[in-house]
Amino acid sequence: MSPSFHIPYILPTALLALALVLKLPTFLRASRDPDVRATTLLLIWATAVLVVITPVNIERLNVLTGVPNIASPWAYSFLTAFCATGLTMIMRWREAPSVRRRRRIRRIYWIYAGIAAVLWLTFILADVPTARVYDLDTYYAGTPWMREHILLYIAAHTVSSLVAVSMLWKWFPEVADRWLKAGVVFLQLGFASGLVFDVAKTAAIGARWSGHDWDVLSTQAAPPFALLEAALVALGFIVPQAAPFLQKWIRDRREYRRLAPLWHALSSLTPAAAEARFGPWTPLDLRLLQRRQRIHDALRMLGPYVDPVLYQRAREAARTGYGVPDADADGVAGAVTISAAISTYQQGGPSVAHHQGPQGGAVVGGHIEGIASALHRPRILQDVRRRMTSTESAHHHGC
């Protein structure tokens, strides 16, 4: 058995397992949430199916249990649970909570639980002494009870895929959220792939009944579509939940790094004891909140030393010298003014609170992001200071 043959099984299984690991913290925090519970179960069932149907695991199950083909009822039971959970998840997304929805979901679970029970019953009644790893469905296509066992799982999977595709097709035009719409597309493609799997399996079994050998449809054509279905359906349920979180994380990470120069510049103004010590595993949103709070606290302390007159001069120098937009000029002026205020504060110089105009901290407090960005460009700040100095010198000489 070539190890390369198992690679197609490993990839979607690893994807599902990773999604499950990422979902577990949410499940532990909100295990009573029906949507969280259903999504976690769906990932468990899908992962279990792929783990069981991997050829090497089929052989291990046969050896460990001593029961030939025992992987069949295991895999098909997990597949049945996956089908039920997938249908109920779509219903939860489409419909508002109601007594009718709850009854329909409960009915689906009972129907598919009954199918799983019948799968085990038909397997127990069937006589399948020869272990078949790759061609069980076609090899036993004419065997009493095993024939029903195989047809039952294909029929259950076909019905769930058709219903899912139909519901998703009707629902798609109503979906406004872009991530949810992307999830719906993945789900439609996934369940459509499942239908291709069912058609290939059914055609191969029908060919056996008529005395023809189309086993290649079952052993080679169908499995890739089953793997594709598992991966696409997993993405369909993961993307609408993970993508907004990832988008927010990227946005927070960008802001966290953008605020770093300002945070470092102000770090000497507040006592270290005032800062809560967060470890490397602290969530990013908490670290970002701490950084923002630290900056605002430092600006309040620095407020009496922020010179509004210097701010206006620096802003004018940035606008006239570089032609930058007002927002960027505010950031550059704020960076120049804060740098001067920090220097005055650290040297014990006098405050400028007696100056006319708004209080210093309020002048720069509304431009924190722009100031942090300007601190990334020290050359511009130096040029603005130089321009201010030359302008002031020219003004004095002219007087």
Side-chain angles (χ1 to χ4, degrees):
M1 195 182 312
S2 172
S4 62
F5 186 80
H6 300 153
I7 291 177
Y9 292 86
I10 294 172
L11 295 178
T13 305
L15 174 64
L16 287 167
L18 176 61
L20 183 58
V21 169
L22 294 175
K23 192 68 181 176
L24 279 179
T26 305
F27 174 74
L28 295 175
R29 288 196 306 268
S31 58
R32 295 185 179 181
D33 187 326
D35 291 344
V36 173
R37 205 162 50 233
T39 304
T40 306
L41 284 174
L42 179 114
L43 294 173
I44 290 174
W45 303 143
T47 305
V49 171
L50 294 185
V51 169
V52 173
I53 67 171
T54 302
V56 66
N57 290 332
I58 293 176
E59 293 182 343
R60 286 171 180 166
L61 274 173
N62 290 337
V63 172
L64 288 174
T65 62
V67 180
N69 304 306
I70 188 65
S72 176
W74 273 114
Y76 298 155
S77 295
F78 286 135
L79 180 63
T80 300
F82 170 80
C83 293
T85 310
L87 286 176
T88 57
M89 276 295 297
I90 296 171
M91 292 172 60
R92 291 180 194 279
W93 282 359
R94 286 188 61 199
E95 305 173 21
S98 65
V99 175
R100 179 174 176 270
R101 191 190 77 169
R102 188 163 57 250
R103 287 175 179 170
R104 290 175 64 197
I105 289 175
R106 190 180 298 118
R107 190 179 303 122
I108 287 174
Y109 281 137
W110 277 112
I111 290 172
Y112 278 84
I115 291 172
V118 175
L119 284 171
W120 279 95
L121 178 62
T122 52
F123 178 78
I124 292 171
L125 294 174
D127 182 19
V128 286
T130 305
R132 308 300 298 185
V133 175
Y134 301 106
D135 62 347
L136 180 139
D137 292 343
T138 51
Y139 186 85
Y140 288 112
T143 302
W145 294 114
M146 194 61 184
R147 173 184 56 224
E148 287 74 16
H149 175 88
I150 295 166
L151 291 177
L152 180 60
Y153 98 79
I154 293 177
H157 185 254
T158 302
V159 170
S160 69
S161 296
L162 283 171
V163 173
V165 168
S166 175
M167 288 195 299
L168 291 167
W169 184 263
K170 294 177 181 177
W171 185 38
F172 183 79
E174 305 172 12
V175 180
D177 181 81
R178 62 170 178 165
W179 294 118
L180 184 56
K181 189 178 285 286
V184 171
V185 172
F186 278 122
L187 288 173
Q188 286 178 315
L189 294 174
F191 287 115
S193 299
L195 288 173
V196 176
F197 167 86
D198 295 328
V199 169
K201 285 283 185 179
T202 304
I205 291 170
R208 276 281 182 145
W209 291 345
S210 62
H212 298 87
D213 184 358
W214 290 3
D215 288 12
V216 66
L217 291 177
S218 178
T219 58
Q220 297 184 32
F225 286 99
L227 300 177
L228 185 62
E229 176 190 13
L232 290 173
V233 170
L235 287 173
F237 287 114
I238 292 168
V239 166
Q241 300 180 61
F245 169 82
L246 183 60
Q247 187 178 35
K248 181 180 181 300
W249 186 90
I250 292 173
R251 185 170 59 247
D252 288 350
R253 187 69 184 176
R254 188 182 299 121
E255 183 176 358
Y256 185 79
R257 297 185 64 177
R258 188 168 58 242
L259 291 176
L262 180 57
W263 178 71
H264 285 301
L266 297 170
S267 60
S268 61
L269 300 181
T270 55
E275 181 180 1
R277 296 298 181 181
F278 288 156
W281 299 107
T282 303
L284 177 62
D285 55 350
L286 290 181
R287 286 185 282 143
L288 177 59
L289 179 63
Q290 182 201 50
R291 179 160 288 187
R292 288 174 179 161
Q293 187 61 48
R294 180 75 179 271
I295 289 173
H296 284 290
D297 290 344
L299 287 178
R300 279 195 295 270
M301 181 179 295
L302 198 63
Y305 300 90
V306 175
D307 187 348
V309 176
L310 177 63
Y311 175 86
Q312 292 299 333
R313 288 174 51 218
R315 186 175 187 275
E316 186 62 25
R319 289 180 67 247
T320 58
Y322 295 94
V324 298
D326 288 349
D328 291 344
D330 288 332
V332 171
V336 170
T337 309
I338 283 178
S339 298
I342 292 174
S343 178
T344 302
Y345 173 85
Q346 291 176 336
Q347 294 173 10
S351 71
V352 293
H354 60 278
H355 283 243
Q356 295 298 318
Q359 206 273 338
V363 172
V364 298
H367 309 294
I368 289 176
E369 288 77 9
I371 294 170
S373 297
L375 289 171
H376 277 287
R377 299 174 290 177
R379 174 189 284 181
I380 293 180
L381 299 183
Q382 291 175 4
D383 290 346
V384 168
R385 292 189 187 97
R386 190 180 303 112
R387 183 176 181 82
M388 290 169 58
T389 302
S390 62
T391 302
E392 184 178 6
S393 176
H395 175 74
H396 284 308
H397 285 302
C399 292

